[in-house]
PDB file of all heavy atoms in Angstrom:
ATOM      1  N   VAL D 270     100.926 115.884 108.581  1.00 98.00           N
ATOM      2  CA  VAL D 270      99.681 115.476 108.995  1.00 98.00           C
ATOM      3  C   VAL D 270      99.504 115.543 110.525  1.00 98.00           C
ATOM      4  O   VAL D 270     100.624 115.228 111.178  1.00 98.00           O
ATOM      5  CB  VAL D 270      99.273 114.244 108.232  1.00 98.00           C
ATOM      6  CG1 VAL D 270     100.254 113.092 108.886  1.00 98.00           C
ATOM      7  CG2 VAL D 270      97.866 113.854 108.490  1.00 98.00           C
ATOM      8  N   GLN D 271      98.374 115.703 111.024  1.00 98.00           N
ATOM      9  CA  GLN D 271      98.171 115.633 112.428  1.00 98.00           C
ATOM     10  C   GLN D 271      98.108 114.088 112.902  1.00 98.00           C
ATOM     11  O   GLN D 271      97.600 113.240 112.056  1.00 98.00           O
ATOM     12  CB  GLN D 271      96.906 116.470 112.840  1.00 98.00           C
ATOM     13  CG  GLN D 271      97.099 117.893 112.676  1.00 98.00           C
ATOM     14  CD  GLN D 271      95.887 118.642 113.240  1.00 98.00           C
ATOM     15  OE1 GLN D 271      94.849 118.180 113.501  1.00 98.00           O
ATOM     16  NE2 GLN D 271      96.071 119.850 113.719  1.00 98.00           N
ATOM     17  N   ALA D 272      98.444 113.922 114.180  1.00 98.00           N
ATOM     18  CA  ALA D 272      98.202 112.599 114.706  1.00 98.00           C
ATOM     19  C   ALA D 272      96.916 112.103 114.512  1.00 98.00           C
ATOM     20  O   ALA D 272      95.809 112.954 114.741  1.00 98.00           O
ATOM     21  CB  ALA D 272      98.665 112.584 116.173  1.00 98.00           C
ATOM     22  N   GLY D 273      96.726 110.879 114.124  1.00 98.00           N
ATOM     23  CA  GLY D 273      95.340 110.278 113.777  1.00 98.00           C
ATOM     24  C   GLY D 273      94.882 110.489 112.378  1.00 98.00           C
ATOM     25  O   GLY D 273      93.988 109.893 111.977  1.00 98.00           O
ATOM     26  N   GLY D 274      95.716 111.176 111.666  1.00 98.00           N
ATOM     27  CA  GLY D 274      95.347 111.344 110.244  1.00 98.00           C
ATOM     28  C   GLY D 274      95.877 110.353 109.324  1.00 98.00           C
ATOM     29  O   GLY D 274      96.426 109.361 109.730  1.00 98.00           O
ATOM     30  N   SER D 275      95.721 110.502 107.966  1.00 98.00           N
ATOM     31  CA  SER D 275      96.094 109.515 106.866  1.00 98.00           C
ATOM     32  C   SER D 275      96.864 110.063 105.890  1.00 98.00           C
ATOM     33  O   SER D 275      96.683 111.439 105.571  1.00 98.00           O
ATOM     34  CB  SER D 275      94.839 108.940 106.482  1.00 98.00           C
ATOM     35  OG  SER D 275      94.109 108.205 107.425  1.00 98.00           O
ATOM     36  N   LEU D 276      97.645 109.411 105.311  1.00 98.00           N
ATOM     37  CA  LEU D 276      98.355 109.754 104.008  1.00 98.00           C
ATOM     38  C   LEU D 276      98.477 108.564 103.176  1.00 98.00           C
ATOM     39  O   LEU D 276      98.477 107.389 103.621  1.00 98.00           O
ATOM     40  CB  LEU D 276      99.743 110.246 104.320  1.00 98.00           C
ATOM     41  CG  LEU D 276      99.919 111.718 104.884  1.00 98.00           C
ATOM     42  CD1 LEU D 276     101.385 111.907 105.264  1.00 98.00           C
ATOM     43  CD2 LEU D 276      99.494 112.859 103.910  1.00 98.00           C
ATOM     44  N   ARG D 277      98.570 108.772 101.853  1.00 98.00           N
ATOM     45  CA  ARG D 277      98.767 107.738 100.804  1.00 98.00           C
ATOM     46  C   ARG D 277      99.979 107.931  99.964  1.00 98.00           C
ATOM     47  O   ARG D 277     100.079 108.999  99.300  1.00 98.00           O
ATOM     48  CB  ARG D 277      97.618 107.611  99.976  1.00 98.00           C
ATOM     49  CG  ARG D 277      97.627 106.308  99.023  1.00 98.00           C
ATOM     50  CD  ARG D 277      96.616 106.484  97.955  1.00 98.00           C
ATOM     51  NE  ARG D 277      96.352 105.103  97.176  1.00 98.00           N
ATOM     52  CZ  ARG D 277      95.898 105.143  96.018  1.00 98.00           C
ATOM     53  NH1 ARG D 277      95.588 106.147  95.293  1.00 98.00           N
ATOM     54  NH2 ARG D 277      95.858 103.938  95.348  1.00 98.00           N
ATOM     55  N   LEU D 278     100.939 107.182 100.219  1.00 98.00           N
ATOM     56  CA  LEU D 278     102.194 107.378  99.467  1.00 98.00           C
ATOM     57  C   LEU D 278     102.211 106.528  98.271  1.00 98.00           C
ATOM     58  O   LEU D 278     101.528 105.501  98.065  1.00 98.00           O
ATOM     59  CB  LEU D 278     103.434 106.836 100.216  1.00 98.00           C
ATOM     60  CG  LEU D 278     103.694 107.371 101.605  1.00 98.00           C
ATOM     61  CD1 LEU D 278     104.908 106.988 102.215  1.00 98.00           C
ATOM     62  CD2 LEU D 278     103.602 108.927 101.577  1.00 98.00           C
ATOM     63  N   SER D 279     102.734 107.092  97.039  1.00 98.00           N
ATOM     64  CA  SER D 279     102.810 106.431  95.884  1.00 98.00           C
ATOM     65  C   SER D 279     104.222 106.277  95.422  1.00 98.00           C
ATOM     66  O   SER D 279     105.095 107.107  95.762  1.00 98.00           O
ATOM     67  CB  SER D 279     102.046 107.261  94.705  1.00 98.00           C
ATOM     68  OG  SER D 279     100.661 107.263  95.018  1.00 98.00           O
ATOM     69  N   CYS D 280     104.625 105.263  94.543  1.00 97.00           N
ATOM     70  CA  CYS D 280     105.922 105.192  94.121  1.00 97.00           C
ATOM     71  C   CYS D 280     105.672 104.657  92.674  1.00 97.00           C
ATOM     72  O   CYS D 280     105.272 103.535  92.514  1.00 97.00           O
ATOM     73  CB  CYS D 280     106.744 104.046  94.950  1.00 97.00           C
ATOM     74  SG  CYS D 280     108.330 103.556  94.253  1.00 97.00           S
ATOM     75  N   ALA D 281     106.152 105.405  91.785  1.00 96.00           N
ATOM     76  CA  ALA D 281     105.974 105.284  90.296  1.00 96.00           C
ATOM     77  C   ALA D 281     107.328 104.708  89.859  1.00 96.00           C
ATOM     78  O   ALA D 281     108.411 105.359  90.060  1.00 96.00           O
ATOM     79  CB  ALA D 281     105.558 106.359  89.589  1.00 96.00           C
ATOM     80  N   ALA D 282     107.350 103.578  89.185  1.00 94.00           N
ATOM     81  CA  ALA D 282     108.632 103.058  88.666  1.00 94.00           C
ATOM     82  C   ALA D 282     108.617 103.208  87.197  1.00 94.00           C
ATOM     83  O   ALA D 282     107.632 103.096  86.427  1.00 94.00           O
ATOM     84  CB  ALA D 282     108.833 101.506  88.964  1.00 94.00           C
ATOM     85  N   SER D 283     109.933 103.493  86.660  1.00 90.00           N
ATOM     86  CA  SER D 283     110.105 103.603  85.168  1.00 90.00           C
ATOM     87  C   SER D 283     111.357 103.087  84.777  1.00 90.00           C
ATOM     88  O   SER D 283     112.310 102.850  85.721  1.00 90.00           O
ATOM     89  CB  SER D 283     109.922 105.073  84.834  1.00 90.00           C
ATOM     90  OG  SER D 283     111.021 105.826  85.471  1.00 90.00           O
ATOM     91  N   GLY D 284     111.666 102.813  83.551  1.00 83.00           N
ATOM     92  CA  GLY D 284     112.949 102.236  83.108  1.00 83.00           C
ATOM     93  C   GLY D 284     112.969 100.692  83.074  1.00 83.00           C
ATOM     94  O   GLY D 284     113.808 100.137  82.521  1.00 83.00           O
ATOM     95  N   ARG D 285     111.943 100.116  83.679  1.00 78.00           N
ATOM     96  CA  ARG D 285     111.857  98.691  83.518  1.00 78.00           C
ATOM     97  C   ARG D 285     110.438  98.342  83.880  1.00 78.00           C
ATOM     98  O   ARG D 285     109.756  99.012  84.624  1.00 78.00           O
ATOM     99  CB  ARG D 285     112.809  97.965  84.587  1.00 78.00           C
ATOM    100  CG  ARG D 285     112.668  96.547  84.739  1.00 78.00           C
ATOM    101  CD  ARG D 285     113.503  95.967  85.870  1.00 78.00           C
ATOM    102  NE  ARG D 285     114.934  95.973  85.679  1.00 78.00           N
ATOM    103  CZ  ARG D 285     115.809  95.621  86.470  1.00 78.00           C
ATOM    104  NH1 ARG D 285     115.350  95.002  87.617  1.00 78.00           N
ATOM    105  NH2 ARG D 285     117.156  95.668  86.183  1.00 78.00           N
ATOM    106  N   THR D 286     110.012  97.116  83.477  1.00 77.00           N
ATOM    107  CA  THR D 286     108.679  96.642  83.896  1.00 77.00           C
ATOM    108  C   THR D 286     108.845  95.917  85.283  1.00 77.00           C
ATOM    109  O   THR D 286     109.551  94.788  85.275  1.00 77.00           O
ATOM    110  CB  THR D 286     108.110  95.778  82.849  1.00 77.00           C
ATOM    111  OG1 THR D 286     107.923  96.439  81.749  1.00 77.00           O
ATOM    112  CG2 THR D 286     106.713  95.186  83.383  1.00 77.00           C
ATOM    113  N   PHE D 287     108.229  96.386  86.397  1.00 87.00           N
ATOM    114  CA  PHE D 287     108.472  95.802  87.570  1.00 87.00           C
ATOM    115  C   PHE D 287     107.361  94.772  87.909  1.00 87.00           C
ATOM    116  O   PHE D 287     107.354  94.395  89.111  1.00 87.00           O
ATOM    117  CB  PHE D 287     108.529  96.996  88.649  1.00 87.00           C
ATOM    118  CG  PHE D 287     109.827  97.718  88.410  1.00 87.00           C
ATOM    119  CD1 PHE D 287     109.856  98.954  87.792  1.00 87.00           C
ATOM    120  CD2 PHE D 287     110.957  97.205  89.112  1.00 87.00           C
ATOM    121  CE1 PHE D 287     110.980  99.612  87.740  1.00 87.00           C
ATOM    122  CE2 PHE D 287     112.059  97.859  88.971  1.00 87.00           C
ATOM    123  CZ  PHE D 287     112.251  99.134  88.175  1.00 87.00           C
ATOM    124  N   SER D 288     106.534  94.417  87.000  1.00 90.00           N
ATOM    125  CA  SER D 288     105.369  93.577  87.292  1.00 90.00           C
ATOM    126  C   SER D 288     105.846  92.210  87.945  1.00 90.00           C
ATOM    127  O   SER D 288     105.150  91.450  88.580  1.00 90.00           O
ATOM    128  CB  SER D 288     104.551  93.369  86.175  1.00 90.00           C
ATOM    129  OG  SER D 288     105.225  92.797  85.117  1.00 90.00           O
ATOM    130  N   ARG D 289     107.068  91.789  87.673  1.00 91.00           N
ATOM    131  CA  ARG D 289     107.576  90.465  88.174  1.00 91.00           C
ATOM    132  C   ARG D 289     108.492  90.627  89.510  1.00 91.00           C
ATOM    133  O   ARG D 289     109.036  89.723  89.906  1.00 91.00           O
ATOM    134  CB  ARG D 289     108.378  89.819  87.106  1.00 91.00           C
ATOM    135  CG  ARG D 289     107.527  89.410  85.927  1.00 91.00           C
ATOM    136  CD  ARG D 289     106.777  88.114  86.292  1.00 91.00           C
ATOM    137  NE  ARG D 289     107.630  86.910  86.643  1.00 91.00           N
ATOM    138  CZ  ARG D 289     107.281  85.894  87.253  1.00 91.00           C
ATOM    139  NH1 ARG D 289     105.975  85.733  87.474  1.00 91.00           N
ATOM    140  NH2 ARG D 289     108.053  84.906  87.459  1.00 91.00           N
ATOM    141  N   TYR D 290     108.474  91.736  89.976  1.00 94.00           N
ATOM    142  CA  TYR D 290     109.347  92.005  91.154  1.00 94.00           C
ATOM    143  C   TYR D 290     108.505  92.444  92.326  1.00 94.00           C
ATOM    144  O   TYR D 290     107.627  93.183  92.222  1.00 94.00           O
ATOM    145  CB  TYR D 290     110.388  93.091  90.915  1.00 94.00           C
ATOM    146  CG  TYR D 290     111.281  92.840  89.926  1.00 94.00           C
ATOM    147  CD1 TYR D 290     111.146  92.997  88.467  1.00 94.00           C
ATOM    148  CD2 TYR D 290     112.723  92.413  90.234  1.00 94.00           C
ATOM    149  CE1 TYR D 290     112.127  92.561  87.542  1.00 94.00           C
ATOM    150  CE2 TYR D 290     113.769  92.179  89.355  1.00 94.00           C
ATOM    151  CZ  TYR D 290     113.331  92.331  88.065  1.00 94.00           C
ATOM    152  OH  TYR D 290     114.432  91.931  87.016  1.00 94.00           O
ATOM    153  N   ALA D 291     108.920  91.889  93.551  1.00 95.00           N
ATOM    154  CA  ALA D 291     108.323  92.325  94.788  1.00 95.00           C
ATOM    155  C   ALA D 291     108.864  93.655  95.065  1.00 95.00           C
ATOM    156  O   ALA D 291     109.898  94.251  94.624  1.00 95.00           O
ATOM    157  CB  ALA D 291     108.760  91.523  95.919  1.00 95.00           C
ATOM    158  N   MET D 292     108.075  94.660  95.829  1.00 96.00           N
ATOM    159  CA  MET D 292     108.390  95.889  96.069  1.00 96.00           C
ATOM    160  C   MET D 292     108.105  96.175  97.525  1.00 96.00           C
ATOM    161  O   MET D 292     107.264  95.465  98.230  1.00 96.00           O
ATOM    162  CB  MET D 292     107.701  96.757  95.216  1.00 96.00           C
ATOM    163  CG  MET D 292     107.928  96.709  93.740  1.00 96.00           C
ATOM    164  SD  MET D 292     107.141  97.947  92.723  1.00 96.00           S
ATOM    165  CE  MET D 292     108.023  99.381  92.990  1.00 96.00           C
ATOM    166  N   GLY D 293     108.913  97.011  98.203  1.00 97.00           N
ATOM    167  CA  GLY D 293     108.827  97.330  99.533  1.00 97.00           C
ATOM    168  C   GLY D 293     108.829  98.863  99.768  1.00 97.00           C
ATOM    169  O   GLY D 293     109.295  99.642  99.094  1.00 97.00           O
ATOM    170  N   TRP D 294     108.339  99.127 101.098  1.00 98.00           N
ATOM    171  CA  TRP D 294     108.487 100.393 101.681  1.00 98.00           C
ATOM    172  C   TRP D 294     109.370 100.280 102.957  1.00 98.00           C
ATOM    173  O   TRP D 294     109.173  99.411 103.817  1.00 98.00           O
ATOM    174  CB  TRP D 294     107.128 100.949 102.003  1.00 98.00           C
ATOM    175  CG  TRP D 294     106.307 101.465 100.886  1.00 98.00           C
ATOM    176  CD1 TRP D 294     105.195 100.725 100.221  1.00 98.00           C
ATOM    177  CD2 TRP D 294     106.399 102.730 100.201  1.00 98.00           C
ATOM    178  NE1 TRP D 294     104.813 101.507  99.188  1.00 98.00           N
ATOM    179  CE2 TRP D 294     105.407 102.676  99.321  1.00 98.00           C
ATOM    180  CE3 TRP D 294     107.181 103.850 100.419  1.00 98.00           C
ATOM    181  CZ2 TRP D 294     105.193 103.849  98.352  1.00 98.00           C
ATOM    182  CZ3 TRP D 294     106.956 104.945  99.597  1.00 98.00           C
ATOM    183  CH2 TRP D 294     106.010 104.909  98.584  1.00 98.00           C
ATOM    184  N   PHE D 295     110.283 101.214 103.086  1.00 98.00           N
ATOM    185  CA  PHE D 295     111.122 101.278 104.216  1.00 98.00           C
ATOM    186  C   PHE D 295     111.056 102.865 104.718  1.00 98.00           C
ATOM    187  O   PHE D 295     110.621 103.618 103.978  1.00 98.00           O
ATOM    188  CB  PHE D 295     112.533 101.044 103.896  1.00 98.00           C
ATOM    189  CG  PHE D 295     112.832  99.536 103.608  1.00 98.00           C
ATOM    190  CD1 PHE D 295     112.392  99.061 102.374  1.00 98.00           C
ATOM    191  CD2 PHE D 295     113.382  98.785 104.457  1.00 98.00           C
ATOM    192  CE1 PHE D 295     112.556  97.724 102.012  1.00 98.00           C
ATOM    193  CE2 PHE D 295     113.536  97.438 104.152  1.00 98.00           C
ATOM    194  CZ  PHE D 295     113.172  96.759 103.039  1.00 98.00           C
ATOM    195  N   ARG D 296     111.485 103.087 105.918  1.00 98.00           N
ATOM    196  CA  ARG D 296     111.566 104.332 106.475  1.00 98.00           C
ATOM    197  C   ARG D 296     112.705 104.544 107.344  1.00 98.00           C
ATOM    198  O   ARG D 296     113.205 103.619 107.864  1.00 98.00           O
ATOM    199  CB  ARG D 296     110.241 104.700 107.222  1.00 98.00           C
ATOM    200  CG  ARG D 296     110.013 103.929 108.561  1.00 98.00           C
ATOM    201  CD  ARG D 296     108.743 104.306 109.069  1.00 98.00           C
ATOM    202  NE  ARG D 296     108.489 103.493 110.436  1.00 98.00           N
ATOM    203  CZ  ARG D 296     107.345 103.604 111.069  1.00 98.00           C
ATOM    204  NH1 ARG D 296     106.294 104.245 110.496  1.00 98.00           N
ATOM    205  NH2 ARG D 296     107.131 103.008 112.167  1.00 98.00           N
ATOM    206  N   GLN D 297     113.112 105.873 107.426  1.00 98.00           N
ATOM    207  CA  GLN D 297     114.349 106.164 108.189  1.00 98.00           C
ATOM    208  C   GLN D 297     113.980 107.522 108.906  1.00 98.00           C
ATOM    209  O   GLN D 297     113.832 108.506 108.166  1.00 98.00           O
ATOM    210  CB  GLN D 297     115.467 106.331 107.136  1.00 98.00           C
ATOM    211  CG  GLN D 297     116.820 106.520 107.994  1.00 98.00           C
ATOM    212  CD  GLN D 297     118.080 106.316 106.935  1.00 98.00           C
ATOM    213  OE1 GLN D 297     117.906 106.523 105.836  1.00 98.00           O
ATOM    214  NE2 GLN D 297     119.178 106.095 107.599  1.00 98.00           N
ATOM    215  N   ALA D 298     114.117 107.380 110.181  1.00 97.00           N
ATOM    216  CA  ALA D 298     114.010 108.564 111.048  1.00 97.00           C
ATOM    217  C   ALA D 298     115.303 109.150 111.196  1.00 97.00           C
ATOM    218  O   ALA D 298     116.264 108.533 111.178  1.00 97.00           O
ATOM    219  CB  ALA D 298     113.296 108.142 112.421  1.00 97.00           C
ATOM    220  N   PRO D 299     115.442 110.390 111.646  1.00 93.00           N
ATOM    221  CA  PRO D 299     116.690 111.143 111.929  1.00 93.00           C
ATOM    222  C   PRO D 299     117.492 110.385 112.908  1.00 93.00           C
ATOM    223  O   PRO D 299     117.011 109.934 114.019  1.00 93.00           O
ATOM    224  CB  PRO D 299     116.258 112.553 112.379  1.00 93.00           C
ATOM    225  CG  PRO D 299     114.988 112.749 111.858  1.00 93.00           C
ATOM    226  CD  PRO D 299     114.227 111.395 111.848  1.00 93.00           C
ATOM    227  N   GLY D 300     118.806 110.117 112.603  1.00 95.00           N
ATOM    228  CA  GLY D 300     119.674 109.505 113.484  1.00 95.00           C
ATOM    229  C   GLY D 300     119.478 107.998 113.701  1.00 95.00           C
ATOM    230  O   GLY D 300     120.145 107.345 114.426  1.00 95.00           O
ATOM    231  N   LYS D 301     118.676 107.401 112.895  1.00 97.00           N
ATOM    232  CA  LYS D 301     118.292 105.924 112.945  1.00 97.00           C
ATOM    233  C   LYS D 301     118.529 105.184 111.603  1.00 97.00           C
ATOM    234  O   LYS D 301     118.554 105.820 110.661  1.00 97.00           O
ATOM    235  CB  LYS D 301     116.717 105.818 113.472  1.00 97.00           C
ATOM    236  CG  LYS D 301     116.446 106.348 114.830  1.00 97.00           C
ATOM    237  CD  LYS D 301     115.168 105.933 115.357  1.00 97.00           C
ATOM    238  CE  LYS D 301     114.874 106.472 116.729  1.00 97.00           C
ATOM    239  NZ  LYS D 301     113.538 106.012 117.213  1.00 97.00           N
ATOM    240  N   GLU D 302     118.450 103.888 111.724  1.00 97.00           N
ATOM    241  CA  GLU D 302     118.866 103.104 110.530  1.00 97.00           C
ATOM    242  C   GLU D 302     117.401 103.060 109.693  1.00 97.00           C
ATOM    243  O   GLU D 302     116.388 103.262 110.203  1.00 97.00           O
ATOM    244  CB  GLU D 302     119.163 101.674 110.901  1.00 97.00           C
ATOM    245  CG  GLU D 302     120.571 101.568 111.620  1.00 97.00           C
ATOM    246  CD  GLU D 302     120.990 100.259 111.929  1.00 97.00           C
ATOM    247  OE1 GLU D 302     120.071  99.266 111.779  1.00 97.00           O
ATOM    248  OE2 GLU D 302     122.219  99.953 112.196  1.00 97.00           O
ATOM    249  N   ARG D 303     117.556 102.747 108.473  1.00 97.00           N
ATOM    250  CA  ARG D 303     116.472 102.443 107.534  1.00 97.00           C
ATOM    251  C   ARG D 303     115.988 101.124 107.984  1.00 97.00           C
ATOM    252  O   ARG D 303     116.626 100.143 107.965  1.00 97.00           O
ATOM    253  CB  ARG D 303     116.953 102.455 106.138  1.00 97.00           C
ATOM    254  CG  ARG D 303     115.840 102.433 105.219  1.00 97.00           C
ATOM    255  CD  ARG D 303     116.323 102.755 103.692  1.00 97.00           C
ATOM    256  NE  ARG D 303     116.997 104.086 103.553  1.00 97.00           N
ATOM    257  CZ  ARG D 303     117.421 104.453 102.484  1.00 97.00           C
ATOM    258  NH1 ARG D 303     117.263 103.843 101.369  1.00 97.00           N
ATOM    259  NH2 ARG D 303     118.119 105.588 102.417  1.00 97.00           N
ATOM    260  N   VAL D 304     114.522 101.212 108.164  1.00 98.00           N
ATOM    261  CA  VAL D 304     113.824  99.925 108.575  1.00 98.00           C
ATOM    262  C   VAL D 304     112.702  99.572 107.738  1.00 98.00           C
ATOM    263  O   VAL D 304     112.132 100.484 107.052  1.00 98.00           O
ATOM    264  CB  VAL D 304     113.393 100.020 110.034  1.00 98.00           C
ATOM    265  CG1 VAL D 304     114.508 100.269 111.062  1.00 98.00           C
ATOM    266  CG2 VAL D 304     112.403 101.223 110.246  1.00 98.00           C
ATOM    267  N   PHE D 305     112.382  98.290 107.765  1.00 98.00           N
ATOM    268  CA  PHE D 305     111.268  97.763 106.888  1.00 98.00           C
ATOM    269  C   PHE D 305     110.007  98.267 107.503  1.00 98.00           C
ATOM    270  O   PHE D 305     109.710  98.358 108.677  1.00 98.00           O
ATOM    271  CB  PHE D 305     111.364  96.232 106.937  1.00 98.00           C
ATOM    272  CG  PHE D 305     110.128  95.492 106.350  1.00 98.00           C
ATOM    273  CD1 PHE D 305     109.906  95.458 104.952  1.00 98.00           C
ATOM    274  CD2 PHE D 305     109.214  94.902 107.165  1.00 98.00           C
ATOM    275  CE1 PHE D 305     108.979  94.784 104.430  1.00 98.00           C
ATOM    276  CE2 PHE D 305     108.078  94.392 106.651  1.00 98.00           C
ATOM    277  CZ  PHE D 305     108.079  94.215 105.291  1.00 98.00           C
ATOM    278  N   VAL D 306     109.081  98.491 106.544  1.00 98.00           N
ATOM    279  CA  VAL D 306     107.707  98.991 106.736  1.00 98.00           C
ATOM    280  C   VAL D 306     106.699  97.984 106.219  1.00 98.00           C
ATOM    281  O   VAL D 306     105.850  97.394 106.864  1.00 98.00           O
ATOM    282  CB  VAL D 306     107.399 100.462 106.211  1.00 98.00           C
ATOM    283  CG1 VAL D 306     105.962 100.727 106.481  1.00 98.00           C
ATOM    284  CG2 VAL D 306     108.288 101.435 106.896  1.00 98.00           C
ATOM    285  N   ALA D 307     106.913  97.662 104.999  1.00 98.00           N
ATOM    286  CA  ALA D 307     105.757  96.838 104.316  1.00 98.00           C
ATOM    287  C   ALA D 307     106.384  96.308 102.978  1.00 98.00           C
ATOM    288  O   ALA D 307     107.278  96.982 102.362  1.00 98.00           O
ATOM    289  CB  ALA D 307     104.466  97.562 103.979  1.00 98.00           C
ATOM    290  N   ALA D 308     105.879  95.128 102.498  1.00 98.00           N
ATOM    291  CA  ALA D 308     106.464  94.645 101.204  1.00 98.00           C
ATOM    292  C   ALA D 308     105.218  93.948 100.566  1.00 98.00           C
ATOM    293  O   ALA D 308     104.344  93.484 101.292  1.00 98.00           O
ATOM    294  CB  ALA D 308     107.602  93.877 101.440  1.00 98.00           C
ATOM    295  N   ILE D 309     105.359  93.845  99.313  1.00 97.00           N
ATOM    296  CA  ILE D 309     104.227  93.116  98.471  1.00 97.00           C
ATOM    297  C   ILE D 309     105.032  92.375  97.419  1.00 97.00           C
ATOM    298  O   ILE D 309     105.860  92.842  96.772  1.00 97.00           O
ATOM    299  CB  ILE D 309     103.253  94.118  97.938  1.00 97.00           C
ATOM    300  CG1 ILE D 309     101.964  93.479  97.277  1.00 97.00           C
ATOM    301  CG2 ILE D 309     103.896  95.149  96.917  1.00 97.00           C
ATOM    302  CD1 ILE D 309     100.898  94.395  97.013  1.00 97.00           C
ATOM    303  N   ASN D 310     104.488  91.074  97.160  1.00 96.00           N
ATOM    304  CA  ASN D 310     105.106  90.316  96.066  1.00 96.00           C
ATOM    305  C   ASN D 310     104.603  90.781  94.745  1.00 96.00           C
ATOM    306  O   ASN D 310     103.735  91.594  94.604  1.00 96.00           O
ATOM    307  CB  ASN D 310     104.927  88.804  96.279  1.00 96.00           C
ATOM    308  CG  ASN D 310     103.538  88.351  95.881  1.00 96.00           C
ATOM    309  OD1 ASN D 310     102.569  89.063  95.959  1.00 96.00           O
ATOM    310  ND2 ASN D 310     103.495  86.997  95.625  1.00 96.00           N
ATOM    311  N   TRP D 311     105.185  90.189  93.680  1.00 94.00           N
ATOM    312  CA  TRP D 311     104.981  90.557  92.356  1.00 94.00           C
ATOM    313  C   TRP D 311     103.490  90.643  91.939  1.00 94.00           C
ATOM    314  O   TRP D 311     102.947  91.513  91.205  1.00 94.00           O
ATOM    315  CB  TRP D 311     105.787  89.821  91.338  1.00 94.00           C
ATOM    316  CG  TRP D 311     105.386  88.385  91.323  1.00 94.00           C
ATOM    317  CD1 TRP D 311     105.741  87.414  91.951  1.00 94.00           C
ATOM    318  CD2 TRP D 311     104.451  87.839  90.348  1.00 94.00           C
ATOM    319  NE1 TRP D 311     105.227  86.157  91.663  1.00 94.00           N
ATOM    320  CE2 TRP D 311     104.356  86.494  90.579  1.00 94.00           C
ATOM    321  CE3 TRP D 311     103.653  88.425  89.272  1.00 94.00           C
ATOM    322  CZ2 TRP D 311     103.484  85.681  89.754  1.00 94.00           C
ATOM    323  CZ3 TRP D 311     102.866  87.580  88.502  1.00 94.00           C
ATOM    324  CH2 TRP D 311     102.779  86.201  88.798  1.00 94.00           C
ATOM    325  N   SER D 312     102.740  89.621  92.509  1.00 93.00           N
ATOM    326  CA  SER D 312     101.382  89.500  92.046  1.00 93.00           C
ATOM    327  C   SER D 312     100.378  90.255  93.024  1.00 93.00           C
ATOM    328  O   SER D 312      99.274  90.446  92.581  1.00 93.00           O
ATOM    329  CB  SER D 312     100.930  87.878  92.041  1.00 93.00           C
ATOM    330  OG  SER D 312     100.894  87.480  93.347  1.00 93.00           O
ATOM    331  N   GLY D 313     100.951  90.707  94.017  1.00 94.00           N
ATOM    332  CA  GLY D 313     100.188  91.369  95.105  1.00 94.00           C
ATOM    333  C   GLY D 313      99.510  90.438  96.028  1.00 94.00           C
ATOM    334  O   GLY D 313      98.553  90.744  96.958  1.00 94.00           O
ATOM    335  N   GLY D 314      99.648  89.044  95.807  1.00 94.00           N
ATOM    336  CA  GLY D 314      99.032  88.062  96.652  1.00 94.00           C
ATOM    337  C   GLY D 314      99.666  87.873  97.968  1.00 94.00           C
ATOM    338  O   GLY D 314      98.946  87.205  98.888  1.00 94.00           O
ATOM    339  N   THR D 315     100.859  88.283  98.306  1.00 96.00           N
ATOM    340  CA  THR D 315     101.610  88.198  99.497  1.00 96.00           C
ATOM    341  C   THR D 315     101.946  89.532 100.030  1.00 96.00           C
ATOM    342  O   THR D 315     102.620  90.249  99.183  1.00 96.00           O
ATOM    343  CB  THR D 315     102.676  87.236  99.329  1.00 96.00           C
ATOM    344  OG1 THR D 315     102.311  85.971  98.998  1.00 96.00           O
ATOM    345  CG2 THR D 315     103.374  87.119 100.646  1.00 96.00           C
TER     346      THR D 315
END
């Protein structure tokens, strides 16, 4: 995508019901550590 643009990532879970688990997004750039991006608790309230 060009700078200034948008993307929507999706993460589909299977093999377990994850409705009671917080979930997070992390990212890793080349040569760098994996870092936190965002997280959401099980209900979506936090």
Side-chain angles (χ1 to χ4, degrees):
V270 63
Q271 289 189 334
S275 299
L276 283 174
R277 188 194 195 203
L278 305 183
S279 299
C280 173
S283 62
R285 174 189 289 183
T286 300
F287 290 98
S288 60
R289 289 287 296 169
Y290 291 80
M292 298 185 72
W294 285 97
F295 291 75
R296 66 187 181 186
Q297 188 167 16
K301 297 187 177 181
E302 293 184 348
R303 190 170 300 186
V304 298
F305 172 73
V306 175
I309 188 167
N310 78 332
W311 66 274
S312 69
T315 299

